[in-house]
Amino acid sequence: MTEKILVVDDSKLMTRMIEDMLKQSGYEVMSANDGPTALKLASEWVPNLILLDVMMPDMDGFEVCRRLREMERVATVPIIMVTAKSSIADKINGFEVGADDYITKPFELPELRLRVSALLKRSQRLIAGPAAAPKPARIITVFSLRGGSGCTSLAVNLAAGLAKLWGIHVPLLDLALPFGVCDSMLNLQPRYRLDDVVNKPIVELGADVITGYLTAHESGIQLLGGFSDATLIDRFSENLVTYVLEQLRSRFRYIVIDTAHDFTPPTIAALDGADTIVIPVTPDINAARLTYNALHIFDSLGYQEEPFLTLNWTFSQQGISRIQLEKFLKQPFNLVMPYAAGVWSQAINTGVPVIEGDPESPLVAMLEDMVWRLSDPIMQKSKPDNPTPTWQRVSQRIRSSHSAERPKAD
Ligand SMILES: Nc1ncnc2c1ncn2[C@@H]1O[C@H](COP(=O)(O)OP(=O)(O)OP(=O)(O)O)[C@@H](O)[C@H]1O
Ligand SMILES: [Mg+2]
């Protein structure tokens, strides 16, 4: 069903601009240039979301919002207030009369589009109620706006690590469009790929079929290979990604996703569905700026969970210091991955994940501990019936770090 959006602004130019952008994103749009018309349209057409300008002659946006909230059919329709004012008092006023979100002019159209889509999703979740409550699988999405930061390397190692830690199968979805390389990183030639997902009519694409499209790797990874035919990418919509995740969620405990370095609809779906977003950050100015922007967009999308920030030294020297980066990002790193000359590129070339290497090596230990930290808190709390060697090593390290912290009795 196409979602309907009502745009209310006294400037015809503004309504036109927003209308065009929303129509391009696939929404059905109507607009009103004053309060009374907006109220009439809202009650007759009943939109799924309303974008409401504050500064309008005769009846301002606050008053329109207050009246909308009194109208039975539109009382729960999400409202985003759009205004040139940015004072806290105005925001409070907006929320008091029932607005759900607030965007200040001038704004970038993509930001508005993201907010609209996030708010629509949030309200659908609320309407869907407990049936849409969290599903079993924990989804870990590895993402960075900067290419070459280590996303694919981390995604492959996290998936292999989770499989080894818990002794289970872990799907790894290669959504790094247009062409993913998870398959070569694992020395695999998948029989099925995303090509098959988009070629199958959605009514035939159940959990069994999608699970059948996964290719097993000896580590326990179940790979959904990326596209081989880039002309099919347009058919890979946000909804299709969300659907695939929902199907797999009911079958597995963890899903790991490698993503493209962008905010296209498939990436947004992978981010939206994530329980944790892992962001590798290389110590350079471009990575810092792009990560800062990504964090800002996450805020706009209403993501509550802090991402797992990993400072990844993909080069050996002349990097920006951790302290400077943390100050700039206004967020501490959860982990610092040291530069490991040759190890990561050798893993790529041999198709053997780094975490499969010598368990005594500090790098493998660091990756195993990272996997533990990203695991489901409920699983962390109890000892598995058959603990894997990885689980035993991680527990041993946790025990020894606790005893090192404990003050010695003299
Ligand atoms: N800690 C590290 N030390 C040294 N080299 C690393 C480290 N992490 C990743 N690399 C190397 O950095 C390069 C980029 O890694 P990777 O392909 O995983 O990143 P990406 O973000 O997926 O890049 P792409 O833009 O190609 O998708 C690879 O050559 C990898 O071997
Ligand atoms: Mg990659």
Side-chain angles (χ1 to χ4, degrees):
M1 192 191 71
T2 313
E3 282 154 320
K4 303 188 289 186
I5 299 178
L6 175 61
V7 181
V8 188
D9 195 309
D10 60 323
S11 152
K12 289 209 166 82
L13 179 68
M14 197 64 171
T15 44
R16 181 67 197 277
M17 239 170 58
I18 299 177
E19 218 181 308
D20 285 352
M21 181 274 291
L22 291 172
K23 280 184 179 161
Q24 272 171 20
S25 305
Y27 299 109
E28 204 179 315
V29 189
M30 289 189 84
S31 52
N33 296 114
D34 58 68
T37 316
L39 293 172
K40 189 165 178 297
L41 261 178
S43 72
E44 286 167 7
W45 190 52
V46 194
N48 300 99
L49 183 143
I50 301 171
L51 279 171
L52 182 55
D53 186 33
V54 169
M55 302 283 278
M56 292 188 293
D58 303 329
M59 193 190 290
D60 70 13
F62 296 131
E63 181 58 21
V64 178
C65 187
R66 203 184 51 73
R67 292 197 196 190
L68 284 168
R69 288 298 177 237
E70 285 168 6
M71 291 160 53
E72 203 184 329
R73 297 182 72 197
V74 280
T76 55
V77 172
I79 297 176
I80 301 180
M81 296 290 246
V82 185
T83 177
K85 293 189 172 182
S86 64
S87 77
I88 296 284
D90 275 325
K91 287 189 188 174
I92 292 170
N93 201 355
F95 288 126
E96 272 176 358
V97 291
D100 298 275
D101 198 3
Y102 200 95
I103 187 162
T104 309
K105 287 180 191 169
F107 53 80
E108 300 284 330
L109 284 177
E111 188 189 350
L112 181 65
R113 182 167 58 85
L114 290 172
R115 280 190 190 230
V116 165
S117 125
L119 189 55
L120 279 171
K121 276 201 197 109
R122 272 210 301 277
S123 67
Q124 277 159 5
R125 265 182 229 140
L126 286 177
I127 292 163
K135 307 268 188 330
R138 190 172 179 79
I139 299 185
I140 300 171
T141 299
V142 187
F143 171 79
S144 163
L145 279 180
R146 181 194 183 281
S149 346
C151 285
T152 307
S153 300
L154 279 183
V156 165
N157 281 279
L158 288 177
L162 284 162
K164 280 164 62 85
L165 175 63
W166 300 110
I168 52 176
H169 291 302
V170 176
L172 169 64
L173 314 190
D174 192 342
L175 306 194
L177 310 184
F179 297 113
V181 290
C182 289
D183 52 358
S184 51
M185 287 224 191
L186 292 165
N187 222 347
L188 277 182
Q189 286 183 326
R191 248 182 91 198
Y192 301 98
R193 299 173 161 277
L194 292 180
D195 308 48
D196 301 283
V197 172
V198 297
N199 278 330
K200 193 89 175 162
I202 189 99
V203 287
E204 294 172 26
L205 199 61
D208 284 341
V209 173
I210 301 172
T211 307
Y213 285 164
L214 304 174
T215 305
H217 182 258
E218 60 212 15
S219 61
I221 288 178
Q222 297 273 324
L223 177 70
L224 181 56
F227 280 104
S228 67
D229 179 356
T231 62
L232 297 172
I233 287 169
D234 285 348
R235 287 160 51 191
F236 198 49
S237 65
E238 190 170 341
N239 284 344
L240 185 52
V241 176
T242 305
Y243 176 79
V244 168
L245 291 179
E246 264 162 25
Q247 299 303 308
L248 290 178
R249 241 183 175 174
S250 57
R251 294 281 170 103
F252 297 91
R253 297 304 306 265
Y254 294 92
I255 298 171
V256 177
I257 311 178
D258 184 24
T259 54
H261 312 293
D262 57 32
F263 275 114
T264 53
T267 308
I268 290 182
L271 293 167
D272 267 355
D275 294 283
T276 304
I277 300 169
V278 174
I279 310 185
V281 184
T282 49
D284 58 89
I285 194 77
N286 288 350
R289 284 182 53 199
L290 290 169
T291 306
Y292 182 87
N293 290 336
L295 294 176
H296 180 68
I297 290 179
F298 289 176
D299 272 349
S300 310
L301 289 169
Y303 295 170
Q304 308 282 327
E305 183 101 359
E306 295 282 350
F308 190 97
L309 281 190
T310 303
L311 174 55
N312 193 16
W313 280 86
T314 57
F315 49 89
S316 60
Q317 45 192 315
Q318 308 286 339
I320 303 177
S321 75
R322 172 184 187 160
I323 293 173
Q324 278 177 306
L325 284 167
E326 288 181 336
K327 214 164 142 191
F328 179 75
L329 296 173
K330 299 188 181 68
Q331 205 170 309
F333 284 105
N334 300 83
L335 183 71
V336 180
M337 193 67 73
Y339 174 67
V343 178
W344 291 94
S345 35
Q346 194 199 7
I348 292 174
N349 292 334
T350 55
V352 181
V354 173
I355 203 162
E356 304 268 317
D358 178 5
E360 299 300 320
S361 93
L363 182 56
V364 171
M366 179 178 260
L367 285 168
E368 288 179 346
D369 292 347
M370 178 183 188
V371 168
W372 171 268
R373 289 171 65 188
L374 290 166
S375 292
D376 186 341
I378 296 170
M379 289 176 82
Q380 286 172 344
K381 280 193 189 104
S382 51
K383 186 176 177 182
D385 292 338
N386 296 305
T388 63
T390 310
W391 189 93
Q392 286 167 354
R393 283 194 296 274
V394 174
S395 314
Q396 178 56 46
R397 283 193 292 270
I398 293 172
R399 273 199 302 274
S400 31
S401 72
H402 283 174
S403 59
E405 276 165 20
R406 214 173 291 141
K408 289 196 181 76
D410 46 9

